[in-house]
Amino acid sequence: MFEILQYGFMRNAIMAAVLASIACGIIGVYVVVKKVTSLSGGISHASFGGIGLGYYLGVNPMYGLVPFSLLSAIAMGITSKRTKVAEDTAIGILWSLGMAIGIILIYLTPGYAPDLMTYLFGNILTVPLSDIYLMLALDAVIVFVVYAYYKEFMSLCFDEEFATVAGINVERLYLLLLCLIALTIVLLIKVVGIILIIALLTMPASLSSHYTKNLRKMMYISMFLGALFSITGLALSYTYDVPSGATIILVMSAVYLLHFVYHAVRPRIVRA
Amino acid sequence: MAEVIDLKDVWVSYGNTPVLEAVDLVVEDRDFLAIIGPNGGGKSTLLKVILGLIKPDRGSVRLLGDDPKKTRKYAGYVPQYISSNLDFPISVWEVVLMGCLGHKGPFRGYNEDDRKAAYEALKVVDMLDYRDRQIGELSGGQKQRVFIARSLVTRPRLLILDEPSTGIDSKRQREFYELLNRLKSEIAILLVTHDMSALSVYVDKVACLNRRLHYHNSKELSPKDLEAAYQCPVELIAHGVPHRVLKVH
Ligand SMILES: Nc1ncnc2c1ncn2[C@@H]1O[C@H](COP(=O)(O)OP(=O)(O)O)[C@@H](O)[C@H]1O
Ligand SMILES: [Mg+2]
């Protein structure tokens, strides 16, 4: 079993899973408690434009992703807060717009786009070392910003009006949170891909909320669950030679489902 | 020193519906002013204007001598409707500590002084025993007390309370007014209430708001003011209004 660890790709895959779980554990909790799941899904899909941009410019698509996902996060935040466009409408529009831009740019790029499927559905077994360094850097940024603004984010998610009266620039802080979500999405893309990200972002956090009512503990628990699920999924996908991103999501969904069935059924068993 | 609150000719409307018209209001240090008025009269809107949460169409708003956006962190505010996300994973203790937020900055966690202040504030509202509870598990009145504690924790220069006694039983209400009574020797208090019995005992000044503000910088309102505000004959409301509030002619 452990001899597979001697393969470089496997070590990279495990490192990628752990690095992804750190960002995913912290930011996923904010996504769940602030109830911005569909907005995050929107940022994730819109960032497909960044992949197109990377191909078009002939650079690593990850470098197109970072600015593009940040831009879509800010655009979504501003459209939903400042204009009269309803938030879900803004999300829907930018979601499709980003994807449309990506499709056009890939079409305009001569030749074909290698590993396009990797970006759409993830492939943790092919993460190169350069991406691991990028993930490490993004994790560092996320941890640093959350450490700095922990109280402020807490008040933003709990009670915006109070945060405003306390002198916090709520709009700016909200945009900062959306930017962190965008960076997390970039970090997760290689693991599960654009299409499946939202599950990875929300399921560990949502599960963790059943075990604690403390924000910080929720973050630790969902980091742990995220790492556990992705490494289990990774092992299964390697063993059975099936796509890793989808396997990780299936493992997670199965646990999630069992968890809820168990908690729905148990009270009846206990009473009987 | 500047007035605590200074509104001049403030007009507010939501779309085409006028809500406040030509409101002038001065509140000085250590004033204890109650605002009464019918539902929909604009009381909550007025408080939000004072805190700079709503920008008036016209007129000037000063809080502690400056733009409320700069000075509102020196005010304690208990909103009428709890705007918080109540399933949020946060304990009573953390909610009250959050009251110190305005005087911190990034990187700076809550310190021993903050914890002491939070402890005192929880003691004052008699909620110390509940400090480890998740906020959503409390009853309406208990939550209200926690939010009052949060507004007290920084020793604000001004306390703004929007119908705070709703959902609090009468014994606790008396304790609550006694608390305000003690606080008013140090700070200004602006209280929106329907609780007429409290007016006569604790409050120094009363204003009545129904789009326009009827206020004479005193505790007295004329039957004419009340009729204009409530738009019904004064006998119908006077039974609730203590005679010390109604001016005798
Ligand atoms: N956000 C809003 N949008 C539109 N109308 C509002 C809004 N908030 C309050 N109003 C209207 O403004 C009027 C005053 O409301 P409010 O200030 O809450 O009154 P009060 O606190 O005295 O009951 C009411 O007619 C209410 O329907
Ligand atoms: Mg009101």
Side-chain angles (χ1 to χ4, degrees), chain B residues 217-234:
Chain B
N217 201 23
S218 74
K219 199 166 181 167
E220 294 190 333
L221 291 166
S222 69
K224 230 175 69 230
D225 290 331
L226 286 166
E227 278 183 15
Y230 283 87
Q231 288 173 333
C232 65
V234 74

Side-chain angles (χ1 to χ4, degrees), chain B residues 130-192:
Chain B
Y130 294 86
R131 68 183 139 167
D132 295 324
R133 288 282 194 92
Q134 196 259 333
I135 188 76
E137 293 169 0
L138 303 183
S139 75
Q142 290 172 327
K143 275 179 215 140
Q144 198 78 356
R145 277 147 65 201
V146 172
F147 287 100
I148 291 168
R150 179 175 72 177
S151 73
L152 292 175
V153 75
T154 51
R155 307 186 165 274
R157 303 257 322 266
L158 160 72
L159 199 51
I160 295 182
L161 305 147
D162 199 348
E163 305 194 23
S165 51
T166 339
I168 300 186
D169 57 56
S170 51
K171 169 177 164 281
R172 286 256 154 63
Q173 264 185 37
R174 225 192 54 234
E175 288 170 6
F176 173 61
Y177 287 117
E178 292 290 345
L179 166 67
L180 294 186
N181 208 29
R182 269 179 278 134
L183 288 171
K184 81 174 184 196
S185 59
E186 295 166 31
I187 64 176
I189 300 174
L190 183 54
L191 171 73
V192 168

Side-chain angles (χ1 to χ4, degrees), chain B residues 44-234:
Chain B
S44 298
T45 303
L46 178 66
L47 300 190
K48 288 184 180 168
V49 167
I50 291 169
L51 289 163
L53 294 169
I54 292 176
K55 203 173 153 320
D57 304 335
R58 232 175 87 186
S60 89
V61 181
R62 313 290 276 175
L63 177 64
L64 299 163
D66 210 331
D67 181 350
K69 286 201 169 72
K70 287 190 203 143
T71 48
R72 60 189 168 198
K73 66 177 176 195
Y74 301 104
Y77 172 48
V78 181
Q80 178 176 11
Y81 301 106
I82 296 167
S83 54
S84 325
N85 169 4
L86 290 170
D87 340 306
F88 193 84
I90 190 170
S91 66
V92 166
W93 177 248
E94 289 172 304
V95 171
V96 177
L97 262 184
M98 194 180 273
C100 304
L101 185 69
H103 305 277
K104 297 270 147 183
F107 294 105
R108 294 183 52 201
Y110 300 116
N111 60 25
E112 205 43 52
D113 289 343
D114 300 330
R115 280 187 280 273
K116 234 178 249 159
Y119 184 91
E120 289 306 318
L122 272 175
K123 200 158 86 184
V124 157
V125 297
D126 195 18
M127 285 295 288
L128 258 184
D129 293 344
Y130 294 86
R131 68 183 139 167
D132 295 324
R133 288 282 194 92
Q134 196 259 333
I135 188 76
E137 293 169 0
L138 303 183
S139 75
Q142 290 172 327
K143 275 179 215 140
Q144 198 78 356
R145 277 147 65 201
V146 172
F147 287 100
I148 291 168
R150 179 175 72 177
S151 73
L152 292 175
V153 75
T154 51
R155 307 186 165 274
R157 303 257 322 266
L158 160 72
L159 199 51
I160 295 182
L161 305 147
D162 199 348
E163 305 194 23
S165 51
T166 339
I168 300 186
D169 57 56
S170 51
K171 169 177 164 281
R172 286 256 154 63
Q173 264 185 37
R174 225 192 54 234
E175 288 170 6
F176 173 61
Y177 287 117
E178 292 290 345
L179 166 67
L180 294 186
N181 208 29
R182 269 179 278 134
L183 288 171
K184 81 174 184 196
S185 59
E186 295 166 31
I187 64 176
I189 300 174
L190 183 54
L191 171 73
V192 168
T193 186
H194 287 298
D195 182 1
M196 298 296 186
S197 61
L199 295 185
S200 56
V201 190
Y202 300 105
V203 173
D204 299 332
K205 297 172 180 180
V206 178
C208 186
L209 180 66
N210 189 7
R211 284 221 308 242
R212 290 180 175 264
L213 188 75
H214 305 266
Y215 180 46
H216 310 291
N217 201 23
S218 74
K219 199 166 181 167
E220 294 190 333
L221 291 166
S222 69
K224 230 175 69 230
D225 290 331
L226 286 166
E227 278 183 15
Y230 283 87
Q231 288 173 333
C232 65
V234 74

